Amino acid sequence: MGSTELLAAGLRLPAADLGADFWASQGKNLLFGAIAIVAFIAIVALVMFGADLIKGKAKDKVQLVVLIAPVLILLGVGLVYPAIDTAWLSFNEISNEPDPDTGIYTTAMSFVGLDNYRFAFSDPGTLRTILNTFVWMILVPLLSTGFGLAYAVFIDKAKGEKVLKSLVFMPMAISLVGASVIWGNIMYDYNQVGEQTGMLNALRELFGMDPYNFLRDNPWNTFWLIVILVWIQTGFAMVILSAAIKGVPQEMNEAASLDGANAWQQFWKITIPSIRSTIVVVLTTITIMALKVYDIVRTVTQGRDSTDVVANRMYVLSFVEGREALGAALAVILFIFVIPVVIYNVRSLNKVKETH
């Protein structure tokens, strides 16, 4: 059936629903966007040209300021100011109160000190959310790094090493939402009645076991969600650690072998100390990833059945329930969780540099 026949039948193609005003407004937006980009490039070029005209000792300093200033401005507007604003919001309470004269509701902000933080650490639901986040922060990096390191060692210099690495690294190409759909709807799916469509429950039935609701049984449901992120991050850990292992001088292992050290002793006494800095980087990177996890919980369980984490709870409080101050307090708590990880990472890398 052609487009003419569809229109005749009272059905319109999607493009027909978009009037001339819509396309005109989109054209204007594209034009303004192009003008803004050209103007930005022109301004940057003029500033750089002006800085290049300066002579004498001040030239290097001016050029340094010109190069760094845009970065500092963007960091201030996009990172520093929102962080300060969020921290300040966490010490306040937002309420909608009617104006005594007009009766119109207006938004008012009042300082409440640490009340939002007291609520976060006293409310059972929010406290469980924080504890769940700690579980993610501990298990995900340890399991991902452990599996990645073991796999990297076992397949090192093995036949078909590239293919074997590709198989484990492939999940990294899948988005967190995509991986959540795969595991939630294909692997963990559970039907109370009828045939089981989830792969794991189908296997359980095949071996004579009863179906199991992986996403309902607390606290194991949090562990099954953690498996999804471990499945993704193991490939990342494997690739980085495999590259580090290949950088260990073969002469060291040969010398240890001549001294009577077995493969296990060579691994713990030579390989691990040699790649320690890389292990620290992998652990801290995956830890920060686990602290920020949102997509998996939001896609699979929406935080139900005691599976909530700080990032999802923060979103629900701020944008669903309209309690922005409580959401800001959770954002600050999440930031505080990340600080020790970053400090440990920096100190470990500095120790490695001093050693070398």
Side-chain angles (χ1 to χ4, degrees):
M1 183 181 291
S3 60
T4 306
E5 295 174 350
L6 286 171
L7 290 173
L11 299 174
R12 292 182 297 176
L13 294 173
D17 294 332
L18 304 177
D21 293 340
F22 171 82
W23 293 111
S25 63
Q26 293 301 311
K28 290 180 180 178
N29 292 336
L30 291 174
L31 179 61
F32 289 148
I35 293 174
I37 293 173
V38 173
F40 175 77
I41 294 174
I43 291 172
V44 172
L46 287 173
V47 171
M48 294 297 296
F49 179 75
D52 193 55
L53 293 177
I54 298 175
K55 305 298 182 181
K57 296 181 179 180
K59 181 178 180 178
D60 292 338
K61 295 181 180 179
V62 172
Q63 289 181 342
L64 180 63
V65 171
V66 169
L67 290 172
I68 294 179
V71 177
L72 294 178
I73 292 172
L74 290 175
L75 284 175
V77 174
L79 183 64
V80 177
Y81 171 74
I84 295 174
D85 185 61
T86 300
W88 171 248
L89 179 60
S90 68
F91 294 105
N92 291 271
E93 181 181 7
I94 299 177
S95 58
N96 293 322
E97 301 176 353
D99 185 274
D101 297 326
T102 63
I104 299 175
Y105 279 83
T106 56
T107 301
M109 181 182 293
S110 56
F111 183 79
V112 295
L114 297 174
D115 286 357
N116 292 322
Y117 295 94
R118 293 193 187 98
F119 174 84
F121 288 101
S122 60
D123 176 65
T126 307
L127 186 60
R128 180 56 185 267
T129 296
I130 296 174
L131 293 176
N132 284 345
T133 304
F134 267 113
V135 173
W136 280 79
M137 183 182 70
I138 294 170
L139 291 183
V140 172
L142 291 179
L143 293 175
S144 300
T145 306
F147 290 145
L149 178 59
Y151 195 80
V153 171
F154 290 147
I155 68 170
D156 187 40
K157 298 178 182 178
K159 186 177 180 180
E161 179 182 355
K162 293 182 179 179
V163 176
L164 295 173
K165 284 183 177 180
S166 299
L167 292 175
V168 176
F169 189 75
M170 281 173 59
M172 281 292 296
I174 305 174
S175 67
L176 292 177
V177 174
S180 302
V181 171
I182 292 172
W183 283 85
N185 295 341
I186 299 177
M187 302 297 292
Y188 294 150
D189 193 40
Y190 167 79
N191 295 325
Q192 291 183 345
V193 294
E195 184 179 358
Q196 294 297 324
T197 55
M199 184 176 294
L200 295 180
N201 276 319
L203 289 174
R204 288 175 65 88
E205 283 194 336
L206 182 64
F207 289 100
M209 294 184 288
D210 294 331
Y212 175 69
N213 193 339
F214 291 91
L215 302 176
R216 189 70 182 271
D217 188 15
N218 177 58
W220 288 103
N221 48 5
T222 295
F223 174 77
W224 300 122
L225 293 179
I226 287 174
V227 168
I228 301 175
L229 189 56
V230 171
W231 178 65
I232 295 174
Q233 292 298 314
T234 296
F236 164 76
M238 179 270 299
V239 169
I240 303 300
L241 294 174
S242 178
I245 290 172
K246 291 186 180 301
V248 178
Q250 187 62 29
E251 293 79 5
M252 296 175 65
N253 287 315
E254 292 175 354
S257 179
L258 292 174
D259 290 337
N262 57 35
W264 185 252
Q265 291 172 328
Q266 293 176 32
F267 174 73
W268 283 107
K269 299 297 183 179
I270 297 176
T271 303
I272 292 297
S274 299
I275 64 171
R276 182 177 179 275
S277 60
T278 305
I279 293 176
V280 170
V281 171
V282 171
L283 278 172
T284 52
T285 302
I286 298 178
T287 299
I288 294 173
M289 180 73 179
L291 283 171
K292 299 188 300 180
V293 68
Y294 163 81
D295 314 63
I296 294 174
V297 174
R298 191 67 188 168
T299 303
V300 181
T301 65
Q302 293 80 48
R304 296 190 298 265
D305 301 313
S306 300
T307 59
D308 213 354
V309 290
V310 170
N312 184 66
R313 183 65 174 164
M314 177 181 64
Y315 167 80
V316 171
L317 286 173
S318 299
F319 302 105
V320 178
E321 299 180 6
R323 296 191 285 177
E324 294 90 348
L326 288 174
L330 284 181
V332 173
I333 292 172
L334 186 61
F335 176 72
I336 293 173
F337 285 171
V338 174
I339 291 176
V341 179
V342 175
I343 293 175
Y344 175 76
N345 189 13
V346 173
R347 286 184 176 180
S348 298
L349 292 177
N350 287 337
K351 287 181 180 178
V352 172
K353 289 180 180 178
E354 292 173 1
T355 302
H356 290 298

